[in-house]
């Protein structure tokens, strides 16, 4: 027995996974378990093997859930794997959302209707390149140093309250109760986090069993190295590994065997592609390598989850960020070079992976559905409607004043922007150095209403020479580009998190206006911009709102409009909205993502309203061409500076 296991057994009241050490025998009641003697899962007492695929309900428009799950089935999957995203279900403490896009139960029931079993990853942390790794921002409001993902009561109390709401909704959906859920994950890649808190992992397992019963099959997932599994596993759950194509499969599963000497081999995240960051080349994995490694796992009788089978889109401000050598924000598209593309298109990789799965499938696999329709609706003329600084007074609530700048979390704001304003006092050198080392993440600097420069965490630009005089209005529009979603630096406070200096002088006396651009504020934007059109050379100076309208062409089914892609040639950086829905961030000047996916479900027959908040530079500042294009061709591999 390993020293790690001896330590955990000494300090924890351990509940072992159901069936550990003995085969599961046939029962008339539905059952799922682990047969350790024969190294397999069992379903109703019969040996069971799965090929699953990840599809996130929160990244796919609800109207498309059925279609994407059908495509998953056609890939050859007999199991759906998905996360539960805490922050989308509890956006504010005690405010729960389980309807519409957040109707988790309906998503799982649709999977069952299509013949899929479910592996559910309940978090609370999910990573998934999502804002704050799926954690709600307000965990950092009371204490920005809250010990996340630990047994500290400051984290466990809100977590337990959340589980008390979530888990009772899941119990009727367990396989033993006639539902589709066969396994549930304890935490997520916890070995990649510094805390190594075994009490915390055991607490999660205990809470899952308290609500779901002792027979629930629990598992953990970690990268294929002994050091990661050392802190990521618990005797209360079955240990699995994750790895991508080109990995030495025997060696990777050898690591799993160090922690599970018997039982089924499982790759809980097999990567057919990889994630992207703004400013860096689009990630791809060759189909040949993906299929080769897949077949090697199949030859070892392994169970495989494809992460992701279909990535979808991080609409709105839901994309996260990472902190490698520098701060790296994730783009809106989560295409991931997956077998099922962002809009549901079945790629060559899909058909190659399907053929590999068919070689081992003992379950029925449907024929692939037709490719999804996509249309080029053409150019949309855009008109400068209002500068952001002029508009913000009508958008925001009353300003909040403070000596030093307040963070997003102190303002109880999740996403979007905060406009910080300060009136300069005293005589300053010309120029004088503005120092905002606490900027998180991007700052647009204005003096008396004119933009004078950009500060950027991602580019390590925190200082800017400015020309001011006594009485000048200094303003910084701070943007949250997505809280960090992986690693040891999750306490990622947003806004301006430390004092601001002008020369050697600390600036005291700030006014904050919140610009979250949430659904409430978007309504104000639409009302404010309605009917407005101003001179392109004045109001078009970014940041500014631009609006345009378009109708569906003749022949398009108005009851079921077709998907399209928004192309923003000449535009630099901002946020796009269609009919009040936040499509997400665009940044074609950085790449690799050039187009934004526009689901047809957002469109209507006539008077579709397109709104852009352009933050840096609109093409009509230099020319009379101020338009965007709705095209039938996505571009996710555009040029990048890195």
């Amino acid at each position: 027995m390993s020293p790690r296991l001896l330590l955990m057994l000494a300090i924890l009241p351990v509940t072992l996974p159901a069936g550990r050490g003995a085969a599961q025998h046939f029962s008339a009641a539905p059952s799922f378990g682990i047969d350790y003697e024969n190294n397999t899962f069992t379903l109703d007492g019969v040996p069971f093997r799965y090929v699953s695929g990840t599809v996130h309900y929160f990244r796919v428009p609800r109207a498309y859930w059925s279609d994407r799950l059908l495509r998953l089935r056609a890939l050859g999957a007999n199991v759906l794997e998905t996360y539960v995203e805490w922050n989308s279900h509890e956006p504010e403490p005690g405010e729960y959302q389980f309807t519409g896009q957040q109707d988790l139960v309906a998503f799982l029931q649709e999977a069952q209707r299509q013949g899929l079993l479910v592996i559910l990853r309940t978090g609370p942390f999910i990573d998934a390149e999502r804002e704050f790794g799926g954690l709600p921002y307000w965990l950092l409001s009371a204490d920005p140093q809250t010990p996340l993902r630990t047994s500290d009561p400051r984290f466990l109390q809100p977590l337990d309250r959340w589980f008390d709401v979530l888990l009772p909704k899941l119990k009727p959906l367990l396989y033993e109760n006639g539902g589709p859920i066969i396994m549930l994950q304890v935490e997520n890649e916890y070995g990649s986090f510094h805390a190594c808190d075994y009490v915390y992992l055991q607490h999660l397992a205990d809470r899952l069993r308290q609500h779901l019963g002792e027979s629930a099959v629990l598992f953990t997932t970690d990268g294929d190295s002994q050091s990661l599994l050392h802190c990521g596993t618990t005797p209360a759950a079955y240990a699995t590994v994750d790895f991508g194509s080109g990995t030495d499969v025997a060696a990777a599963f050898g690591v799993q065997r160090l922690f599970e000497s018997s039982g089924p081999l499982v790759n809980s995240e097999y990567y057919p592609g990889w994630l992207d960051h703004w400013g860096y080349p689009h990630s791809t994995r060759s189909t040949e390598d993906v299929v080769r490694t897949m077949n090697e796992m199949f030859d070892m009788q392994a169970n495989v989850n494809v992460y992701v089978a279909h990535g979808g889109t991080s609409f709105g401000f839901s994309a996260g960020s990472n902190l490698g050598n520098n701060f790296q924000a994730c783009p809106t598209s989560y295409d991931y070079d997956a077998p099922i593309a962002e809009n549901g298109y079945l790629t060559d990789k899909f058909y190659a992976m399907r053929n590999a799965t068919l070689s081992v499938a003992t379950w029925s696999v449907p024929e692939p559905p037709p490719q999804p329709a996509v249309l080029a609706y053409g150019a949309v003329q855009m008109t400068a409607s209002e500068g952001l600084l002029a508009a913000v007074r009508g958008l925001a609530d009353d300003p909040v004043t403070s000596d030093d700048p307040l963070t997003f979390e102190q303002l109880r704001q999740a996403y979007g922007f905060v406009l910080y304003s300060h009136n300069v006092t005293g005589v300053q050198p010309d120029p004088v150095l503005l120092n905002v080392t606490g900027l998180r993440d991007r700052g647009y600097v204005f003096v008396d209403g004119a933009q004078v420069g950009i500060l950027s965490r991602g580019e390590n630009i925190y200082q800017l020479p400015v020309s001011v005089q006594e009485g000048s209005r200094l303003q910084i529009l701070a943007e949250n580009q997505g809280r960090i979603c992986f690693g040891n630096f999750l306490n990622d406070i947003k806004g301006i998190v430390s004092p601001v200096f002008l020369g050697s002088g600390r600036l005291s006396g700030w006014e904050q206006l919140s610009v979250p651009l949430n659904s409430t504020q978007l309504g104000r934007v639409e009302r404010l911009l309605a009917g407005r059109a101003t001179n392109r050379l004045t109001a078009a100076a970014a940041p500014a709102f631009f609006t345009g309208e378009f109708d569906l062409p003749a022949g398009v089914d108005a009851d079921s409009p077709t998907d399209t892609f928004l192309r923003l040639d000449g535009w630099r950086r901002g946020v796009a909205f269609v009919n009040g829905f936040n499509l997400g961030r665009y940044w074609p000047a950085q790449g690799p993502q050039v187009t934004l996916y526009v689901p047809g479900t957002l469109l209507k027959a006539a008077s579709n309203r397109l709104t852009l908040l352009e933050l840096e530079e609109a093409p009509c500042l230099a020319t009379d061409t101020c338009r965007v294009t709705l095209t039938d061709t996505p571009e996710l591999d555009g040029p990048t500076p890195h």
Side-chain angles (χ1 to χ4, degrees):
M1 184 176 292
S2 71
R4 179 188 70 88
L5 187 54
L6 284 170
L7 173 63
M8 287 191 292
L9 290 174
I11 66 174
L12 297 177
V14 175
T15 302
L16 295 178
R20 185 179 287 273
Q24 303 295 294
H25 299 291
F26 179 77
S27 170
S31 66
F32 180 83
I34 299 175
D35 181 345
Y36 287 89
E37 294 178 357
N38 295 298
N39 298 327
T40 186
F41 292 111
T42 61
L43 189 72
D44 299 332
V46 177
F48 175 79
R49 179 186 189 182
Y50 68 79
V51 177
S52 64
T54 297
V55 179
H56 297 142
Y57 63 97
F58 43 80
R59 278 190 165 117
V60 178
R62 178 168 180 164
Y64 292 165
W65 284 353
S66 177
D67 175 82
R68 300 307 190 257
L69 293 175
L70 174 60
R71 293 170 192 275
L72 176 63
R73 285 275 287 115
L75 180 64
N78 59 345
V79 174
L80 162 72
E81 186 263 21
T82 196
Y83 284 122
V84 179
E85 187 175 52
W86 183 3
N87 62 24
S88 68
H89 292 288
E90 193 180 4
E92 295 291 340
E95 297 179 10
Y96 300 104
Q97 297 181 2
F98 284 97
T99 60
Q101 190 66 44
Q102 284 74 46
D103 196 339
L104 171 65
V105 170
F107 181 69
L108 301 182
Q109 289 173 335
E110 176 60 27
Q112 183 176 24
R113 191 187 70 80
Q114 298 212 28
L116 290 162
L117 297 170
V118 171
I119 296 171
L120 196 61
R121 305 170 78 172
T122 54
F125 172 78
I126 65 172
D127 181 8
E129 289 66 61
R130 295 289 279 187
E131 228 275 345
F132 203 8
L135 299 175
Y137 86 94
W138 46 261
L139 290 171
L140 303 177
S141 291
D143 182 358
Q145 300 308 316
T146 295
L148 304 168
R149 305 175 71 188
T150 71
S151 55
D152 188 291
R154 286 171 289 177
F155 183 67
L156 284 191
Q157 287 175 2
L159 167 61
D160 286 348
R161 184 185 66 213
W162 158 238
F163 268 15
D164 286 345
V165 173
L166 170 67
L167 298 182
K169 296 179 182 295
L170 302 181
K171 187 168 184 178
L173 299 175
L174 296 178
Y175 184 75
E176 66 185 44
N177 295 329
I181 300 173
I182 55 173
M183 286 200 297
L184 301 104
Q185 185 184 27
V186 176
E187 242 283 346
N188 181 54
E189 295 186 319
Y190 192 64
S192 297
F193 190 60
H194 63 84
C196 203
D197 187 339
Y198 298 129
V199 174
Y200 166 61
L201 289 180
Q202 183 66 42
H203 179 86
L204 291 179
D206 289 345
R207 295 293 285 174
L208 288 165
R209 294 201 185 283
Q210 174 189 342
H211 282 285
L212 303 178
E214 293 299 320
S215 60
V217 177
L218 309 181
F219 73 102
T220 60
T221 304
D222 286 284
D224 60 325
S225 75
Q226 186 172 350
S227 62
L228 296 177
L229 273 81
H230 177 79
C231 287
T233 57
T234 168
Y238 188 72
T240 74
V241 292
D242 56 43
F243 55 88
S245 62
T247 300
D248 184 329
V249 172
F253 285 134
V255 173
Q256 183 189 0
R257 279 287 175 249
L258 294 175
F259 294 80
E260 297 290 356
S261 59
S262 61
L265 298 176
V266 180
N267 183 345
S268 288
E269 288 189 7
Y270 177 56
Y271 309 114
W274 196 243
L275 59 104
D276 282 343
H277 293 115
W278 289 117
Y280 294 82
H282 178 50
S283 297
T284 61
R285 298 292 184 269
S286 79
T287 297
E288 181 181 352
D289 288 346
V290 169
V291 171
R292 180 186 303 113
T293 305
M294 199 172 181
N295 283 327
E296 290 173 0
M297 291 188 288
F298 289 159
D299 288 344
M300 295 186 68
Q301 307 303 309
N303 299 267
V304 178
N305 175 62
V306 178
Y307 185 97
V308 289
H310 170 61
T313 309
S314 293
F315 293 112
F317 298 128
S318 63
S321 64
N322 286 294
L323 191 64
N325 294 329
N326 63 315
F327 176 79
Q328 298 174 301
C330 297
T332 300
S333 172
Y334 200 60
D335 180 85
Y336 212 84
D337 194 31
I340 305 170
E342 182 179 14
N343 69 323
Y345 182 84
L346 305 180
T347 65
D348 291 343
K349 184 177 291 183
F350 170 92
Y351 288 99
M353 293 176 68
R354 169 184 161 88
N355 287 338
T357 303
L358 287 174
S359 69
V360 300
T362 57
W363 52 90
S364 63
V365 177
E367 290 298 314
Q371 296 287 20
V374 60
L375 280 180
Y377 293 122
V380 179
Q381 191 69 32
M382 304 298 292
T383 302
S385 295
E386 187 73 84
L388 179 61
L389 294 189
V392 73
R393 285 285 181 181
L395 298 179
D397 295 326
D398 293 338
V400 177
T401 58
S402 59
D403 289 336
D404 286 323
L406 299 177
T407 67
F408 276 55
E409 291 74 18
Q410 289 171 317
L411 294 167
R412 297 308 297 250
Q413 179 177 337
Y415 318 119
F417 306 83
V418 170
L419 180 63
Y420 296 88
S421 300
H422 170 83
N423 293 322
V424 177
T425 59
V427 178
Q428 303 290 339
D430 187 13
V432 63
L433 192 65
L434 175 67
N435 193 327
V436 195
T437 54
L439 176 69
R440 305 290 186 271
D441 298 304
R442 196 168 179 86
Y444 301 89
V445 182
F446 305 85
V447 174
D448 296 327
Q451 187 172 154
V452 296
I454 299 175
L455 304 173
S456 172
R457 181 185 186 186
E459 298 163 274
N460 294 311
I461 301 173
Y462 296 103
Q463 298 178 331
L464 180 71
V466 296
S467 295
V468 296
Q469 54 188 344
E470 186 168 7
S472 289
R473 183 75 160 169
L474 174 66
Q475 294 177 292
I476 304 171
L477 181 68
E479 177 188 2
N480 168 9
Q481 291 183 268
R483 291 179 180 83
I484 291 170
C485 61
F486 182 78
N488 294 326
F489 302 99
L490 294 178
N491 293 63
D492 189 22
I493 309 303
K494 294 303 186 183
I496 299 177
V497 306
S498 63
V500 176
F501 289 83
L502 199 58
S504 60
R506 176 172 173 170
L507 299 185
S508 180
W510 289 89
E511 178 184 277
Q512 285 93 184
L513 284 170
S514 292
V515 191
L517 293 179
N518 54 20
S519 57
T520 299
Q521 202 169 61
L522 283 175
R524 297 178 190 172
V525 170
E526 293 300 315
R527 290 191 293 273
L528 178 70
L529 301 184
R532 292 202 183 184
T534 55
N535 185 286
R536 66 177 178 85
L537 293 179
T538 54
F545 289 103
F546 294 77
T547 59
E549 289 193 355
F550 64 97
D551 298 334
L552 299 185
V556 174
D557 184 356
D559 294 327
S560 183
T562 303
D563 295 353
T564 188
F565 294 92
L566 176 63
R567 188 175 182 93
L568 299 120
D569 293 324
W571 301 80
R572 187 163 182 84
R573 185 168 192 281
V575 188
F577 308 86
V578 169
N579 294 327
F581 180 87
N582 190 337
L583 292 175
R585 304 177 180 97
Y586 64 86
W587 202 355
Q590 281 286 99
Q593 181 177 0
V594 175
T595 56
L596 286 175
Y597 174 50
V598 183
T601 54
L602 301 177
L603 305 180
K604 53 188 181 180
S607 301
N608 291 282
R609 188 171 181 85
L610 177 62
T611 302
L612 302 181
L613 172 56
E614 171 56 51
L615 295 167
E616 297 186 8
E617 184 179 351
C620 43
L621 287 174
T623 72
D624 289 325
T625 303
C626 192
R627 62 171 63 98
V628 297
T629 305
L630 295 170
T631 178
D632 58 2
T633 306
E635 184 175 350
L636 301 176
D637 58 353
T640 62
H642 300 288

